[in-house]
Amino acid sequence: MEIENNNERDDEFYSNSNYHSNQELYPIGINSPFENLSEELSLKVGDRKFLFICSPLAINGPISRSGLLLKTTKWVSQVTGEISPFLDKFQRETKEKNIEKNQEIFDNLLFEQEIIFQNEMNWAKYLGIYYILLPTPIFVGDEWRVINMNYARMISNSITKINCDCSIQIPLVENLGNETKTDENRAYSTWCLIRDACNSNPHLSVALELTGSRVSESFIEKWMIEPVKYLVLPFGIFSKNKKSKPFLKKELEEIVLKFMVHNTHLIIKIGNNDVRNLDKKLIEEEALNRFHYLQYLTTKLPTLSRDEKIDLEYSNDLQLPLQPLMDNLESEIYEVFEEDTTKYSQYEEAIYQALLDFKSQVDKVFVIMVVGAGRGPLVQNAINASQRASCKTSIYAIEKNPQAVITLQNRKWKGEQSVKVIHTDMRKWNPPEKADIIVSELLGSFGDNELSPECLDGAQNLLTENGISIPCKYTSYLVPISSTTLWSQINNKSTTKSFETPYVVKLSRYIELSTPQECFEFIHPIPKSKIREDNKHNWKYKSLTFDLKPGFDLHGFAGYFKAFLYGNVTLSTNPSDKTIGMFSWFPIFFPLKTPIKNSSFISTDFWRVGSSNRIWYEWTVSSPVSLPIHNPNGRSTWIGL
Amino acid sequence: MEIENNNERDDEFYSNSNYHSNQELYPIGINSPFENLSEELSLKVGDRKFLFICSPLAINGPISRSGLLLKTTKWVSQVTGEISPFLDKFQRETKEKNIEKNQEIFDNLLFEQEIIFQNEMNWAKYLGIYYILLPTPIFVGDEWRVINMNYARMISNSITKINCDCSIQIPLVENLGNETKTDENRAYSTWCLIRDACNSNPHLSVALELTGSRVSESFIEKWMIEPVKYLVLPFGIFSKNKKSKPFLKKELEEIVLKFMVHNTHLIIKIGNNDVRNLDKKLIEEEALNRFHYLQYLTTKLPTLSRDEKIDLEYSNDLQLPLQPLMDNLESEIYEVFEEDTTKYSQYEEAIYQALLDFKSQVDKVFVIMVVGAGRGPLVQNAINASQRASCKTSIYAIEKNPQAVITLQNRKWKGEQSVKVIHTDMRKWNPPEKADIIVSELLGSFGDNELSPECLDGAQNLLTENGISIPCKYTSYLVPISSTTLWSQINNKSTTKSFETPYVVKLSRYIELSTPQECFEFIHPIPKSKIREDNKHNWKYKSLTFDLKPGFDLHGFAGYFKAFLYGNVTLSTNPSDKTIGMFSWFPIFFPLKTPIKNSSFISTDFWRVGSSNRIWYEWTVSSPVSLPIHNPNGRSTWIGL
């Protein structure tokens, strides 16, 4: 009955609010300061309001609850369990008993706390609660470091034993009570300590509680690369406008928006003081007002294109690069890439300009060969460019994938030009006539990482003496980055291979620590004299030194590329001059086995080397500390020739 | 024929020399500057002279050799293959061609060198040569770092691919030619760079070449913890005495002796200049003189006791601690430990003094229970002490290992006292009378690590109200150490478990970076009120901060213990007050997953925790950097209760 009543009242609020009611709700939870759980759950009202409720797990504490209150499916999906603030209790006891200096009694109390912690964790596990909120560490007193280290051990033990997802509550700025504030930020550094102690376990995250204190932008930047799963908004942090509706002051709103971009879940936190000062109905009303305000904030988020929304889904997903030379791609993959109209219009422009430059040769029929034609997008570009340039062209589509060849053979081309489809490996074909232009799209996220150099060297035989290649040049770029979230995923696999793999990844929650620098460069066609039978002319070694933005750990290197198609027509994934609207390539990420802590510079070494049938990368850091060479002999990852 | 001739002449030298000809020869090798290999091997003369010969592998260089020269068994056992100094050649070429700035030509030359290197490595593999000497890195020129990093990559590749043992030739002090000497030691830091790049592979070691330059003792200390497999002694480094016999000046001799303590193989190196300046017979003669002098040096090495010689064999051998509670020991293990007369005389003294103190109680028969009696050494100590103190005693031998019980039951005791042998677990026995003294030897390398606290807590039931335990107290100690050789062995296993294991190890090639500090302390008997059913009173947590000796990497912690048996009678493995002559315990070593580089201090956290049937240690470093907690939940190692 009460639920229905609430429903009506909520709907009123809902329709009054400023956010678009027909869009998807932003994920927001709320904590439960009341004793009767089913009553609290009334705040949730199905899927239309709060996504989840945070409920204390304490079974021996003041709030005691029966597991029968809810069905298991609800415990799992809608309840985040809160471990009681046992560390505070422990600190009070050590203070009262003045036993900080007695190791034996201190140990006893320490391990007593562990029993409380384990009991609550076991209770959560029994109920089937998967999401856990852990209490805030200690920031004051003589023993705060020791208490936190022991707390870290408890978390480390639980997280390696119990299947759960723990978020530790950390205030944005810690309350140091009467203690003198030092330069360090204890809350942030304590999180780093606990994170490292727990071996960057990806099941450990942060519930970051907003505090009123002013913080610098660079400090927020530090938190942006950490796994902040929840942003906690205390009731009292909201201001009220003239109509008595809650809102956040500009500085706080900006912080909240920064996290909302990454889909960080929000928690509205009703404090014990709020429960004491306000009656229950008022609290519910106020909670919903805050909820509506936060939903309204979604209108201030940057509007994403359809492609960007798709990209978002892949945020920090680690993918292995394609092996289009060794494997045959599937139709769906071609389909996705063919949708990148920006990229193909650049190709068309490049072919068009090349034909214009060739055009002085009157009446000549220009031979264009699309090598690695796939399902034919570049072939259509070549046809379009020929028509725009009013050139006669003879167009070949060369493709090794027998399935794609079937598509090519049956395809109707716009402009009705006939296309000669050749099923062969571009490196082995002996053509009836030579090409003026070969066009290819063999680049990977790191430029040469899908073996474009080797393929195009092989395809040079198809080219006339003055023929050109589109692209004619490409350069890879590297930049050191910091991303705790990314590194912890890789570390969690805990295999040598996981750190010796370059990943294709849509980077998010990361920060570039320097300016990208050029790594490897390839030019096509190259003088025949430089081509070596053993392919060693395509082996490269680059040693780069970067100055680093201070205050961050280095986790690895992001790789980009820039390709010159023809003249000034380029494709670039390097953020400094990225081709706008192009989405075919995510960056590549070369991880480091050991993060480099807080260094002011870094020297790194990258190799592109191989054997008779493989190419691979090796990389390391040689200064100021030296790391093992990653992927020696291509033992973990390689690309098949 | 020639071989026999040499034989005669060598024998003459041999008998003339000053070293004890009937002792085992110290391992010394020699390089081969001549073109005819079988002639060179004549220097070896079976097992009585040089242990091995260093021979160039170059097949395209000036010295070309046929694989038929020797039988495979000789290639494997007596020849160390030398890779030609291709880096020098490379550097000359880059300088001559003045192409340091042209990346493409530089890359080409770089990878040309790799072909030379790989050809020689493959040639060695084909011949079956296992030991390889690698050329000296480059220390001068604009590109020395880059050349060395690429060299490191070649080594890293070979060592992960080919089954061989590579020693890189490094001069003690590098020759910088005309370059200004900076503060850094390029030779040492280049070795560290290559070692780290090769992931501290234990198949990579150093052939350290003595140079005439003066070096500080602390610099030699740095080399002592590195895997120096060979010490190379150039011909010209020797001085001559009045009889024209070669010797080393005091400073050089001291360095050589330091390495000889660790059985580092010596190589007498005949240089190209020597070959040019001296005739062959003279060189052979001089080489043998040097050989004899070096053999003579063995007389200056510290004389080792039989036990110390046995210990030496276990140098840096990583052993897992015993589990005497969970497993039943074998007779051989008892036998080894029973030979430690120092330890047992301390026990006898402790029992004796305890009996003297008890003796005021006239005419009382004192009950002594040896808990965990094994094959009975402590029982004999108790009998001896009783007789010395002229006390009447009733002696029990309690043992859970059924095999050891058979030995106990059949043993004849010196002093003909009768002993009551009880086959039971000391924690479960209900005795007919209570003991005045319980005596035990349950300590491990880290004191409590074989579960002495848990066993003796259980055995407290056997004790009268004022009864005593021998030992009555024990404390473990920790000290941060540096040992590249030890760490690389553990790293080579490349499993999580290998770094989460405390090893029992006879430490050598290590250095303590600070003074040992107390870790955990246990007292017996403890007040009954303190004993907890769940054993949590034996859980411990210690946070320690150490100042560190500068200039070394921290690889882990050595653990020792000190036990108070009775009164002032102690057993200690802590180097600062070690019980002289006692050999039952090697130190324990707690490794760190990631070495801490060159820090001035360290905070570490150690826990002794458990579950209902296990005890384990967890440890980490929390400052200045934080590491993962090692062995969470005892997932890798534990001791069974």
Side-chain angles (χ1 to χ4, degrees), chain B residues 439-461:
Chain B
V439 188
S440 64
E441 49 169 335
L442 306 167
L443 298 177
S445 290
F446 196 50
D448 57 85
N449 67 304
E450 293 181 10
L451 305 188
S452 178
E454 283 73 12
C455 293
L456 292 183
D457 284 354
Q460 262 186 228
N461 289 327

PDB file of all heavy atoms in Angstrom, chain B residues 439-461:
ATOM      1  N   VAL B 439      61.105 -29.791  27.911  1.00  0.00           N
ATOM      2  CA  VAL B 439      62.211 -29.403  27.042  1.00  0.00           C
ATOM      3  C   VAL B 439      61.802 -29.702  25.600  1.00  0.00           C
ATOM      4  O   VAL B 439      61.254 -30.775  25.321  1.00  0.00           O
ATOM      5  CB  VAL B 439      63.498 -30.192  27.361  1.00  0.00           C
ATOM      6  CG1 VAL B 439      64.685 -29.625  26.585  1.00  0.00           C
ATOM      7  CG2 VAL B 439      63.776 -30.196  28.845  1.00  0.00           C
ATOM      8  N   SER B 440      62.037 -28.760  24.730  1.00  0.00           N
ATOM      9  CA  SER B 440      61.645 -28.978  23.329  1.00  0.00           C
ATOM     10  C   SER B 440      62.667 -28.357  22.401  1.00  0.00           C
ATOM     11  O   SER B 440      63.383 -27.434  22.774  1.00  0.00           O
ATOM     12  CB  SER B 440      60.280 -28.335  23.070  1.00  0.00           C
ATOM     13  OG  SER B 440      60.367 -26.926  23.232  1.00  0.00           O
ATOM     14  N   GLU B 441      62.737 -28.895  21.213  1.00  0.00           N
ATOM     15  CA  GLU B 441      63.551 -28.262  20.155  1.00  0.00           C
ATOM     16  C   GLU B 441      62.693 -28.187  18.889  1.00  0.00           C
ATOM     17  O   GLU B 441      62.884 -28.924  17.944  1.00  0.00           O
ATOM     18  CB  GLU B 441      64.850 -29.022  19.918  1.00  0.00           C
ATOM     19  CG  GLU B 441      64.733 -30.514  19.743  1.00  0.00           C
ATOM     20  CD  GLU B 441      66.054 -31.130  19.234  1.00  0.00           C
ATOM     21  OE1 GLU B 441      66.849 -30.419  18.598  1.00  0.00           O
ATOM     22  OE2 GLU B 441      66.258 -32.324  19.471  1.00  0.00           O
ATOM     23  N   LEU B 442      61.755 -27.235  18.944  1.00  0.00           N
ATOM     24  CA  LEU B 442      60.767 -27.119  17.869  1.00  0.00           C
ATOM     25  C   LEU B 442      60.991 -25.868  17.024  1.00  0.00           C
ATOM     26  O   LEU B 442      60.151 -25.515  16.216  1.00  0.00           O
ATOM     27  CB  LEU B 442      59.360 -27.081  18.471  1.00  0.00           C
ATOM     28  CG  LEU B 442      59.015 -28.246  19.415  1.00  0.00           C
ATOM     29  CD1 LEU B 442      57.744 -27.941  20.195  1.00  0.00           C
ATOM     30  CD2 LEU B 442      58.835 -29.530  18.613  1.00  0.00           C
ATOM     31  N   LEU B 443      62.127 -25.219  17.251  1.00  0.00           N
ATOM     32  CA  LEU B 443      62.344 -23.954  16.562  1.00  0.00           C
ATOM     33  C   LEU B 443      62.815 -24.142  15.120  1.00  0.00           C
ATOM     34  O   LEU B 443      63.552 -25.079  14.826  1.00  0.00           O
ATOM     35  CB  LEU B 443      63.368 -23.108  17.326  1.00  0.00           C
ATOM     36  CG  LEU B 443      62.937 -22.723  18.730  1.00  0.00           C
ATOM     37  CD1 LEU B 443      64.032 -21.944  19.439  1.00  0.00           C
ATOM     38  CD2 LEU B 443      61.643 -21.924  18.706  1.00  0.00           C
ATOM     39  N   GLY B 444      62.346 -23.248  14.270  1.00  0.00           N
ATOM     40  CA  GLY B 444      62.784 -23.241  12.878  1.00  0.00           C
ATOM     41  C   GLY B 444      63.730 -22.076  12.647  1.00  0.00           C
ATOM     42  O   GLY B 444      64.102 -21.367  13.594  1.00  0.00           O
ATOM     43  N   SER B 445      64.081 -21.869  11.391  1.00  0.00           N
ATOM     44  CA  SER B 445      65.038 -20.815  11.046  1.00  0.00           C
ATOM     45  C   SER B 445      64.550 -19.432  11.456  1.00  0.00           C
ATOM     46  O   SER B 445      65.341 -18.530  11.698  1.00  0.00           O
ATOM     47  CB  SER B 445      65.286 -20.811   9.534  1.00  0.00           C
ATOM     48  OG  SER B 445      66.001 -21.945   9.168  1.00  0.00           O
ATOM     49  N   PHE B 446      63.214 -19.256  11.505  1.00  0.00           N
ATOM     50  CA  PHE B 446      62.643 -17.974  11.886  1.00  0.00           C
ATOM     51  C   PHE B 446      62.024 -18.092  13.288  1.00  0.00           C
ATOM     52  O   PHE B 446      61.101 -17.374  13.644  1.00  0.00           O
ATOM     53  CB  PHE B 446      61.586 -17.567  10.864  1.00  0.00           C
ATOM     54  CG  PHE B 446      61.191 -16.120  10.901  1.00  0.00           C
ATOM     55  CD1 PHE B 446      62.160 -15.108  10.894  1.00  0.00           C
ATOM     56  CD2 PHE B 446      59.858 -15.756  10.920  1.00  0.00           C
ATOM     57  CE1 PHE B 446      61.782 -13.767  10.923  1.00  0.00           C
ATOM     58  CE2 PHE B 446      59.476 -14.415  10.942  1.00  0.00           C
ATOM     59  CZ  PHE B 446      60.442 -13.428  10.944  1.00  0.00           C
ATOM     60  N   GLY B 447      62.558 -19.013  14.105  1.00  0.00           N
ATOM     61  CA  GLY B 447      62.017 -19.211  15.448  1.00  0.00           C
ATOM     62  C   GLY B 447      60.689 -19.957  15.395  1.00  0.00           C
ATOM     63  O   GLY B 447      60.661 -21.194  15.337  1.00  0.00           O
ATOM     64  N   ASP B 448      59.595 -19.194  15.306  1.00  0.00           N
ATOM     65  CA  ASP B 448      58.261 -19.793  15.425  1.00  0.00           C
ATOM     66  C   ASP B 448      57.758 -20.489  14.168  1.00  0.00           C
ATOM     67  O   ASP B 448      56.624 -20.983  14.167  1.00  0.00           O
ATOM     68  CB  ASP B 448      57.261 -18.691  15.810  1.00  0.00           C
ATOM     69  CG  ASP B 448      57.248 -17.552  14.807  1.00  0.00           C
ATOM     70  OD1 ASP B 448      56.538 -17.667  13.800  1.00  0.00           O
ATOM     71  OD2 ASP B 448      57.965 -16.560  15.025  1.00  0.00           O
ATOM     72  N   ASN B 449      58.568 -20.558  13.098  1.00  0.00           N
ATOM     73  CA  ASN B 449      58.010 -20.998  11.813  1.00  0.00           C
ATOM     74  C   ASN B 449      57.789 -22.500  11.683  1.00  0.00           C
ATOM     75  O   ASN B 449      57.271 -22.944  10.671  1.00  0.00           O
ATOM     76  CB  ASN B 449      58.882 -20.501  10.648  1.00  0.00           C
ATOM     77  CG  ASN B 449      60.243 -21.143  10.634  1.00  0.00           C
ATOM     78  OD1 ASN B 449      60.969 -21.081  11.623  1.00  0.00           O
ATOM     79  ND2 ASN B 449      60.601 -21.794   9.534  1.00  0.00           N
ATOM     80  N   GLU B 450      58.174 -23.276  12.688  1.00  0.00           N
ATOM     81  CA  GLU B 450      57.773 -24.690  12.651  1.00  0.00           C
ATOM     82  C   GLU B 450      56.689 -24.959  13.686  1.00  0.00           C
ATOM     83  O   GLU B 450      56.482 -26.102  14.117  1.00  0.00           O
ATOM     84  CB  GLU B 450      59.008 -25.599  12.804  1.00  0.00           C
ATOM     85  CG  GLU B 450      59.923 -25.482  11.574  1.00  0.00           C
ATOM     86  CD  GLU B 450      61.166 -26.377  11.631  1.00  0.00           C
ATOM     87  OE1 GLU B 450      61.252 -27.232  12.530  1.00  0.00           O
ATOM     88  OE2 GLU B 450      62.051 -26.209  10.769  1.00  0.00           O
ATOM     89  N   LEU B 451      56.015 -23.893  14.117  1.00  0.00           N
ATOM     90  CA  LEU B 451      54.847 -23.945  14.996  1.00  0.00           C
ATOM     91  C   LEU B 451      55.172 -24.318  16.438  1.00  0.00           C
ATOM     92  O   LEU B 451      54.320 -24.875  17.151  1.00  0.00           O
ATOM     93  CB  LEU B 451      53.768 -24.882  14.431  1.00  0.00           C
ATOM     94  CG  LEU B 451      53.334 -24.528  13.010  1.00  0.00           C
ATOM     95  CD1 LEU B 451      52.140 -25.372  12.610  1.00  0.00           C
ATOM     96  CD2 LEU B 451      52.993 -23.053  12.880  1.00  0.00           C
ATOM     97  N   SER B 452      56.353 -23.989  16.898  1.00  0.00           N
ATOM     98  CA  SER B 452      56.683 -24.154  18.306  1.00  0.00           C
ATOM     99  C   SER B 452      55.636 -23.493  19.220  1.00  0.00           C
ATOM    100  O   SER B 452      55.209 -24.100  20.203  1.00  0.00           O
ATOM    101  CB  SER B 452      58.081 -23.579  18.573  1.00  0.00           C
ATOM    102  OG  SER B 452      58.412 -23.681  19.929  1.00  0.00           O
ATOM    103  N   PRO B 453      55.171 -22.248  18.922  1.00  0.00           N
ATOM    104  CA  PRO B 453      54.198 -21.626  19.836  1.00  0.00           C
ATOM    105  C   PRO B 453      52.942 -22.475  20.005  1.00  0.00           C
ATOM    106  O   PRO B 453      52.482 -22.697  21.135  1.00  0.00           O
ATOM    107  CB  PRO B 453      53.875 -20.288  19.157  1.00  0.00           C
ATOM    108  CG  PRO B 453      55.072 -19.973  18.326  1.00  0.00           C
ATOM    109  CD  PRO B 453      55.565 -21.312  17.841  1.00  0.00           C
ATOM    110  N   GLU B 454      52.411 -22.980  18.915  1.00  0.00           N
ATOM    111  CA  GLU B 454      51.177 -23.753  18.998  1.00  0.00           C
ATOM    112  C   GLU B 454      51.405 -25.074  19.735  1.00  0.00           C
ATOM    113  O   GLU B 454      50.567 -25.508  20.534  1.00  0.00           O
ATOM    114  CB  GLU B 454      50.625 -24.029  17.588  1.00  0.00           C
ATOM    115  CG  GLU B 454      49.915 -22.848  16.924  1.00  0.00           C
ATOM    116  CD  GLU B 454      50.844 -21.737  16.445  1.00  0.00           C
ATOM    117  OE1 GLU B 454      52.081 -21.959  16.406  1.00  0.00           O
ATOM    118  OE2 GLU B 454      50.348 -20.637  16.141  1.00  0.00           O
ATOM    119  N   CYS B 455      52.535 -25.723  19.471  1.00  0.00           N
ATOM    120  CA  CYS B 455      52.817 -27.004  20.125  1.00  0.00           C
ATOM    121  C   CYS B 455      53.012 -26.798  21.624  1.00  0.00           C
ATOM    122  O   CYS B 455      52.459 -27.548  22.443  1.00  0.00           O
ATOM    123  CB  CYS B 455      54.071 -27.639  19.530  1.00  0.00           C
ATOM    124  SG  CYS B 455      53.852 -28.153  17.832  1.00  0.00           S
ATOM    125  N   LEU B 456      53.795 -25.794  21.999  1.00  0.00           N
ATOM    126  CA  LEU B 456      54.100 -25.604  23.422  1.00  0.00           C
ATOM    127  C   LEU B 456      52.882 -25.075  24.183  1.00  0.00           C
ATOM    128  O   LEU B 456      52.719 -25.387  25.363  1.00  0.00           O
ATOM    129  CB  LEU B 456      55.310 -24.683  23.590  1.00  0.00           C
ATOM    130  CG  LEU B 456      56.636 -25.284  23.118  1.00  0.00           C
ATOM    131  CD1 LEU B 456      57.797 -24.337  23.387  1.00  0.00           C
ATOM    132  CD2 LEU B 456      56.907 -26.651  23.774  1.00  0.00           C
ATOM    133  N   ASP B 457      52.034 -24.277  23.533  1.00  0.00           N
ATOM    134  CA  ASP B 457      50.776 -23.900  24.188  1.00  0.00           C
ATOM    135  C   ASP B 457      49.982 -25.151  24.530  1.00  0.00           C
ATOM    136  O   ASP B 457      49.415 -25.276  25.612  1.00  0.00           O
ATOM    137  CB  ASP B 457      49.922 -23.011  23.274  1.00  0.00           C
ATOM    138  CG  ASP B 457      50.445 -21.589  23.210  1.00  0.00           C
ATOM    139  OD1 ASP B 457      51.397 -21.270  23.955  1.00  0.00           O
ATOM    140  OD2 ASP B 457      49.902 -20.804  22.405  1.00  0.00           O
ATOM    141  N   GLY B 458      49.957 -26.089  23.554  1.00  0.00           N
ATOM    142  CA  GLY B 458      49.227 -27.342  23.777  1.00  0.00           C
ATOM    143  C   GLY B 458      49.881 -28.164  24.869  1.00  0.00           C
ATOM    144  O   GLY B 458      49.200 -28.832  25.660  1.00  0.00           O
ATOM    145  N   ALA B 459      51.225 -28.122  24.945  1.00  0.00           N
ATOM    146  CA  ALA B 459      51.952 -28.941  25.921  1.00  0.00           C
ATOM    147  C   ALA B 459      51.928 -28.325  27.321  1.00  0.00           C
ATOM    148  O   ALA B 459      52.395 -28.958  28.270  1.00  0.00           O
ATOM    149  CB  ALA B 459      53.390 -29.140  25.444  1.00  0.00           C
ATOM    150  N   GLN B 460      51.414 -27.098  27.444  1.00  0.00           N
ATOM    151  CA  GLN B 460      51.391 -26.460  28.769  1.00  0.00           C
ATOM    152  C   GLN B 460      50.594 -27.270  29.799  1.00  0.00           C
ATOM    153  O   GLN B 460      50.860 -27.183  30.990  1.00  0.00           O
ATOM    154  CB  GLN B 460      50.779 -25.055  28.660  1.00  0.00           C
ATOM    155  CG  GLN B 460      51.832 -23.987  28.588  1.00  0.00           C
ATOM    156  CD  GLN B 460      51.270 -22.570  28.622  1.00  0.00           C
ATOM    157  OE1 GLN B 460      51.652 -21.758  27.799  1.00  0.00           O
ATOM    158  NE2 GLN B 460      50.397 -22.290  29.564  1.00  0.00           N
ATOM    159  N   ASN B 461      49.634 -28.050  29.312  1.00  0.00           N
ATOM    160  CA  ASN B 461      48.832 -28.907  30.207  1.00  0.00           C
ATOM    161  C   ASN B 461      49.696 -29.905  30.973  1.00  0.00           C
ATOM    162  O   ASN B 461      49.304 -30.410  32.008  1.00  0.00           O
ATOM    163  CB  ASN B 461      47.800 -29.700  29.404  1.00  0.00           C
ATOM    164  CG  ASN B 461      46.700 -28.791  28.897  1.00  0.00           C
ATOM    165  OD1 ASN B 461      46.346 -27.817  29.566  1.00  0.00           O
ATOM    166  ND2 ASN B 461      46.191 -29.087  27.715  1.00  0.00           N
TER     167      ASN B 461
END
